[in-house]
Amino acid sequence: MLSLIGLIGGLLLLIVLTIRGMNLFIAAPLCALLVTITSGLPVFIGEHNFIETYMQGFSAFIAAWFFMFLLGSLFGKFMEDTGAADALSHWIINKLGRKQAVLAVVLACAVLTYGGVSVFVVAFSVYPMAVSLFKDANLPRRFIPATLAFGSVTFTMTSAGSPEIQNWIPIKYLGTSPFAGWEVSLGVAIFMASFGFWWIRRMLNKAVANGECFEVRDHDPKIKTRDYPHPFTGILPLLVVLILSFILHTHLQQMALIVALGGGVLCLMLINRNYFNNLQHAITAGTTGALIAIGNTAAVVGFGSIAKSTTAFQSAVEVMTHIPGNELIGAAIAISVIAGLTGSASGGQVIALPLIAPHYVDQGVDPEELHRIVAISSGALDSLPHNGYVVTTIRAICHETHQRAYWPLGALTVVVPLCGVTVAIAIFSFV
């Protein structure tokens, strides 16, 4: 009982500290230490002590996914520095019209995310344009994080064919491809996109009706006037990433994403070599951004590794993997809860899949169906306030507070994916 109280208390404390703005590199180990003590695990000396267990989870995640984060960050930073991302976003906006501010931002994020740009980098790249569009439309700026997140981490991040790691982690454990269950995935993505867009428009209209409007701030980014490349130079590298990942995934599995992102980076450097504003700065910023992004995620994965070692967690997994009835429902619940505990879709998958994949495959569950359910459900409860992407987007990028900006973001990135995975399970079960 004390272990369960400590596990729940540690998670709640992590959420509270995150909402209050504490750095995840401090908050996550501190809360993990609380879980360790209440579960009776050794702290400094002994087998599977706190230091070893936390750092094993932290370092293992970095070792497994460092090159994906690095190349994804460099790809996004090169898209930004050459002006390719802005050119592509401007093209989308010009086609839609500036009055369609929300739709323009969502589509810009969706195209970049599905093209392989790290969701962290997408937010950095599109934010300046989002500010300009929201200002022109006089929309409350506290909805900018929700708009960025909706276009990045819902209907694109976990869909079939997505180069994002949340769609690639299950391959290692299920022997599937990134296009697993693509027919159902397409329908679910359309549902989530439509439902989420309707919801954010409804929230915005209500806020505007209550008198909310755009607030100008001194630190608002200024979009520089420059010679932009043709929008096609932003589309071609995205196509390179998608095509290479499709061709190579059968032979290289997860390594195909490294090759695909590397190809995208080289393509960008070749076709936009004359448009680099500052190549050295882009490389430095890209590598630094990758380290921050993977570090924030790994810090929470370390917390998850401690949680995984407790008797309360093992009991919870045992209960969740033996939920009677539809196996896909059990898998969705297990992945969602564990991703919520770790505060990371990718981290939750890394922890949960070694435990649940063999269990459900042995029961005869179709690996492709399981892959898609795991991917979509991992992108729901992971977006609790302590999630690394949520913290970075709200605080570091948009300069907002959780109190102002989290609730619309949480609605779109928690509730919408939960509805999406429900639809996916229904289709897989009855078709």
Side-chain angles (χ1 to χ4, degrees):
M1 178 59 72
L2 181 59
S3 177
L4 179 60
I5 293 173
L7 179 60
I8 296 174
L11 176 61
L12 292 176
L13 179 60
L14 180 57
I15 291 174
V16 170
L17 292 178
T18 302
I19 290 176
R20 291 181 173 274
M22 180 175 283
N23 190 300
L24 280 176
F25 288 102
I26 303 298
L30 187 64
C31 295
L33 180 60
L34 172 64
V35 174
T36 299
I37 295 173
T38 55
S39 297
L41 300 174
V43 178
F44 299 113
I45 301 175
E47 189 177 3
H48 304 302
N49 62 66
F50 164 71
I51 300 296
E52 289 182 358
T53 304
Y54 184 89
M55 290 310 301
Q56 282 173 359
F58 185 98
S59 58
F61 183 82
I62 292 179
W65 300 105
F66 172 74
F67 283 109
M68 282 76 159
F69 272 80
L70 176 63
L71 290 171
S73 183
L74 285 174
F75 182 82
K77 188 54 65 175
F78 286 178
M79 287 278 287
E80 176 187 346
D81 193 75
T82 59
D86 283 343
L88 182 56
S89 299
H90 278 303
W91 180 79
I92 294 173
I93 290 165
N94 290 335
K95 293 296 182 181
L96 294 175
R98 298 188 71 83
K99 291 184 178 180
Q100 296 292 336
V102 175
L103 180 59
V105 173
V106 169
L107 284 181
C109 291
V111 170
L112 293 175
T113 301
Y114 201 79
V117 182
S118 167
V119 292
F120 290 90
V121 179
V122 169
F124 276 108
S125 301
V126 180
Y127 173 66
M129 207 160 306
V131 171
S132 175
L133 288 168
F134 270 60
K135 181 179 180 181
D136 286 351
N138 198 28
L139 298 175
R141 64 185 303 146
R142 68 184 181 91
F143 288 91
I144 292 179
T147 308
L148 295 173
F150 174 58
S152 301
V153 302
T154 56
F155 62 94
T156 52
M157 183 182 76
T158 59
S159 293
S162 170
E164 302 295 333
I165 62 173
Q166 291 80 4
N167 183 48
W168 281 69
I169 293 175
I171 297 173
K172 176 180 178 181
Y173 303 95
L174 297 171
T176 49
S177 81
F179 299 90
W182 70 266
E183 303 94 336
V184 172
S185 177
L186 178 60
V188 172
I190 293 173
F191 164 76
M192 288 199 292
S194 303
F195 176 47
F197 185 72
W198 168 83
W199 199 356
I200 191 172
R201 289 299 310 171
R202 189 172 185 272
M203 289 188 288
L204 271 166
N205 290 337
K206 183 177 180 180
V208 171
N210 290 334
E212 293 189 48
C213 58
F214 187 85
E215 305 165 4
V216 178
R217 295 177 182 171
D218 292 337
H219 56 65
D220 284 346
K222 305 294 188 297
I223 299 178
K224 299 178 180 178
T225 301
R226 58 174 294 183
D227 183 20
Y228 287 107
H230 192 277
F232 182 72
T233 66
I235 296 175
L236 182 59
L238 302 179
L239 292 176
V240 168
V241 174
L242 289 174
I243 292 171
L244 285 177
S245 66
F246 176 77
I247 294 173
L248 300 174
H249 76 266
T250 301
H251 300 291
L252 297 182
Q253 299 292 313
Q254 286 177 289
M255 295 299 104
L257 183 55
I258 295 178
V259 177
L261 288 171
V265 169
L266 291 176
C267 178
L268 260 172
M269 294 183 70
L270 288 174
I271 64 176
N272 282 331
R273 60 186 180 278
N274 295 327
Y275 289 93
F276 273 102
N277 183 46
N278 188 329
L279 177 59
Q280 186 59 46
H281 178 266
I283 293 174
T284 301
T287 53
T288 302
L291 290 174
I292 293 173
I294 197 172
N296 278 331
T297 305
V300 181
V301 171
F303 172 85
S305 296
I306 294 294
K308 177 184 172 182
S309 302
T310 65
T311 55
F313 185 90
Q314 298 300 328
S315 298
V317 171
E318 182 70 18
V319 170
M320 288 184 290
T321 54
H322 289 83
I323 295 174
N326 191 308
E327 292 85 357
L328 292 178
I329 295 177
I333 293 174
I335 289 290
S336 296
V337 172
I338 296 171
L341 285 172
T342 61
S344 166
S346 52
Q349 287 187 25
V350 169
I351 291 173
L353 277 170
L355 301 172
I356 69 170
H359 174 80
Y360 286 113
V361 171
D362 289 345
Q363 288 188 356
V365 177
D366 186 332
E368 292 214 351
E369 294 182 3
L370 185 58
H371 178 137
R372 193 50 48 208
I373 294 301
V374 164
I376 299 173
S377 59
S378 72
L381 294 184
D382 73 307
S383 299
L384 294 175
H386 62 295
N387 172 270
Y389 169 82
V390 171
V391 173
T392 301
T393 300
I394 290 178
R395 295 188 176 276
I397 299 176
C398 299
H399 307 287
E400 286 288 349
T401 64
H402 272 66
Q403 289 87 343
R404 279 173 47 88
Y406 177 73
W407 304 115
L409 185 151
L412 294 173
T413 60
V414 176
V415 179
V416 171
L418 284 176
C419 293
V421 76
T422 302
V423 172
I425 291 172
I427 297 175
F428 280 132
S429 300
F430 297 108
V431 175

